[in-house]
Amino acid sequence: MYDRIMYRNNHSGAVLRCTCVKPCVHTDNCFVPTSEIIAVEETELNKKQRSIGKWQKMAKPHAFTVYYVKKARNHRWRCRDVTFWCADEILCNQWIQALKELLEMQTCRPKQLLVYINPYGGKRQGKRIYEQKVAPLFSLASISTDVVVTEHANHAKDNLFEVNINKYDGVVCVGGDGMFSEVMHGLIGRMQKDSGIDQNNPKAPLVQCNIRIGIIPAGSTDCVCYSTVGISDPVTSALHIIIGDCQPLDVSSVHQNNTFLKYAVSLLGYGFYGDVLKDSEKKRWMGPMRYDYSGFKTFLSHHYYEGTISFQPAKHTLGSPRDKDSCRTGCYICKESERQLAEQRKKCGFKHEEDEEEWKVIKGKFLAINVVNMCCACPRSPKGLSPAAHLADGSADLILVRKCSRFDFLRYLVRHTNKDDQFDFSFVDVYRVKSFQFTSKLSEDNESSVTDIGKKHFGQFCRDHPACCCNIANSTWNCDGETLDSSAIEVRVHCQLMKLFARGIEENCKDEAAYSHSSVEQLL
Ligand SMILES: Nc1ncnc2c1ncn2[C@@H]1O[C@H](COP(=O)(O)OP(=O)(O)OP(=O)(O)O)[C@@H](O)[C@H]1O
Ligand SMILES: CCCCCCCCCCCCC/C=C/[C@@H](O)[C@H](CO)NC(=O)CCCCC
Ligand SMILES: [Ca+2]
């Protein structure tokens, strides 16, 4: 007598059914889609194992272990295993062979990865996290890796211009948003160089980057990881990489006067978030706490900035920033943008169609100007700066926080941490845009009166509070956690320019539980 193991196909993929009893790991039925099997291995049985329970009656029991993804609460994934025992060696081997063949058919899974580790990101745990939590899982899944521990900033980016990139099925970065940004710049830059595209031309049709990036979160904010997976957890991210998930991502290009400055995927922030970042850079030694310290300090300083914003509304997308529904796995709004993109490519190849669509212009005094390509959720703000923004719809949300009282600004900030609508304020406006430009009043003034030496050398003084003499020099742009030197910028969103090993945030766990229950019932 031995446990039954059954295998059958249903429309949602192959499922492995185990009605195991002691000494198996499971006591209940368990259904595992093949897409969520991590590895299958023959199990070496030791003497002790052989001598327990009913297996002692078997002359020579055989066993194999299936490692699979177990979905826990709050989008956390874990690797679990279940062992199948049987008396017949041939049957056991047939099972191992059949399951391995099924895994071979999962062609989206990476076999060879290039890994960059930033040993100084976040709490400086990158190397330990990779070695202890991620490398053993990659090795279990038979993924080969070339690992580079970075020695200086831009090491990963520069290296990506030199390596034989075609050798790899993906690039993994261990670190925070800054490290991800470096790897993204390396990959997109390499792609354009190889295709002869000039990144300095703001209208150049950029070539899509098909090599996926995996993010093992080990930074201070980990906003890109959190917003594309739903949690900032190294094991969960490693499992998304192993099973070969794919999530396209919009990327914004930032230019000034026909000079390429940067790409951005999460936040481009002027005013509050630019000032927080600038101050926090001097406090790197504080680790992730630096953002709380500088955030509080910047909040107290309450600076506003004057300038002119121009933008082209994103008319092609189906959503709006005030939607109640958020971007989730398999999002139909992102799929529609993907369809439009494919159609556009068919129509005009890589030629660029001159965009004649209207520009809107807004002048004013702002505490914060934020352009976000994704919701920008992170542990500090689980719903993010723009909860309904989409990962891959070819648009960004432009959030304008006008000059208001300190108390009102605090109310606005607090709403990022609770369920209330942060756009429901008279001093906050939000638009969905496909391109955007900004010029600060200061640079406009300086341009129109370059001879005004006093202004140039001593900056301007606050006209609203002459007594406090607070300097109203320009703020800086926070571009995915890095400061930009120029305040005047031009931004364009490139729909689905790159891909991640992720699947977007899945519907909440309650729904998942209901789904898995019904699929179990269906099978029974
Ligand atoms: N070996 C290194 N020494 C110094 N700096 C490095 C090294 N490797 C990478 N960097 C740089 O460190 C910067 C910050 O790294 P990272 O994003 O990993 O951490 P973080 O800033 O703490 O997190 P977050 O970006 O999520 O706030 C990156 O911009 C990257 O260019
Ligand atoms: C009284 C309570 C008020 C609390 C308000 C909390 C609001 C938090 C919103 C956080 C938004 C993060 C957006 C992501 C930006 C990243 O690209 C960037 C790089 O990692 N991080 C920062 O700039 C770091 C930015 C950190 C800001 C604090
Ligand atoms: Ca978007």
Side-chain angles (χ1 to χ4, degrees), residues 10-283:
N10 75 346
H11 39 262
S12 65
V15 286
L16 191 71
R17 183 180 176 192
C18 143
T19 49
C20 42
V21 289
K22 275 190 241 165
C24 280
V25 176
H26 284 250
T27 49
D28 299 324
N29 282 356
C30 120
F31 297 86
V32 181
T34 33
S35 62
E36 288 171 15
I37 294 178
I38 298 159
V40 181
E41 274 182 359
E42 189 180 351
T43 315
E44 290 297 325
L45 299 176
N46 58 35
K47 256 195 185 158
K48 200 174 148 205
Q49 283 170 313
R50 278 183 201 174
S51 61
I52 43 172
K54 59 191 174 174
W55 306 110
Q56 60 192 322
K57 292 180 198 146
M58 269 186 213
K60 193 171 181 270
H62 297 273
F64 65 92
T65 302
V66 176
Y67 298 86
Y68 63 96
V69 171
K70 170 85 184 153
K71 295 183 180 179
R73 281 174 149 262
N74 300 328
H75 312 286
R76 192 181 299 277
W77 285 13
R78 284 291 171 264
C79 173
R80 293 284 176 266
D81 58 79
V82 53
T83 299
F84 297 87
W85 301 60
C86 88
D88 184 343
E89 186 177 6
I90 296 175
L91 181 65
C92 186
N93 286 338
Q94 278 175 344
W95 267 100
I96 295 171
Q97 189 57 26
L99 288 169
K100 286 201 164 159
E101 276 167 20
L102 272 175
L103 289 186
E104 277 300 311
M105 282 158 65
Q106 307 286 312
T107 48
C108 55
R109 295 190 177 199
K111 289 194 162 78
Q112 178 88 38
L113 292 171
L114 174 57
V115 181
Y116 292 105
I117 304 175
N118 176 3
Y120 301 114
K123 295 181 186 154
R124 302 178 171 226
Q125 297 294 306
K127 207 158 165 281
R128 187 190 62 80
I129 288 172
Y130 182 75
E131 281 163 4
Q132 292 182 6
K133 299 188 173 185
V134 179
L137 286 172
F138 284 173
S139 134
L140 177 68
S142 307
I143 295 176
S144 322
T145 51
D146 288 336
V147 180
V148 179
V149 179
T150 60
E151 285 163 14
H152 52 86
N154 289 326
H155 184 165
K157 185 179 134 204
D158 297 345
N159 189 249
L160 277 162
F161 278 84
E162 290 158 12
V163 288
N164 173 11
I165 199 76
N166 299 323
K167 203 175 119 187
Y168 301 104
D169 307 308
V171 180
V172 172
C173 56
V174 185
D177 295 321
M179 192 56 194
F180 166 76
S181 171
E182 237 199 63
V183 167
M184 173 182 77
H185 278 82
L187 269 183
I188 299 180
R190 170 78 187 265
M191 217 63 207
Q192 310 317 309
K193 188 174 163 238
D194 291 355
S195 315
I197 302 274
D198 176 13
Q199 293 187 101
N200 284 321
N201 174 3
K203 290 190 173 143
L206 299 179
V207 174
Q208 255 185 332
C209 188
N210 287 319
I211 297 178
R212 285 166 289 177
I213 303 181
I215 308 171
I216 301 295
S220 302
T221 316
D222 298 320
C223 157
V224 184
C225 176
Y226 198 103
S227 302
T228 53
V229 174
I231 188 169
S232 160
D233 175 63
V235 170
T236 304
S237 291
L239 294 173
H240 280 281
I241 296 171
I242 289 170
I243 68 161
D245 267 342
C246 183
Q247 172 64 50
L249 208 59
D250 294 337
V251 179
S252 287
S253 57
V254 186
H255 286 80
Q256 186 194 33
N257 297 331
N258 288 325
T259 305
F260 168 72
L261 299 179
K262 278 261 175 218
Y263 292 116
V265 286
S266 53
L267 167 70
L268 256 170
Y270 190 80
F272 182 71
Y273 288 104
D275 295 350
V276 171
L277 183 73
K278 195 165 183 193
D279 189 72
S280 70
E281 283 298 294
K282 295 175 254 167
K283 310 271 177 326

Side-chain angles (χ1 to χ4, degrees), residues 177 221 223 266-267 273 276-277 291 376 378 380-381 385 410 413-414 416-417 478 480-481:
D177 295 321
T221 316
C223 157
S266 53
L267 167 70
Y273 288 104
V276 171
L277 183 73
Y291 290 133
C376 286
C378 61
R380 276 188 180 78
S381 170
L385 293 176
L410 181 65
L413 287 180
V414 168
H416 290 81
T417 61
N478 173 339
D480 283 355

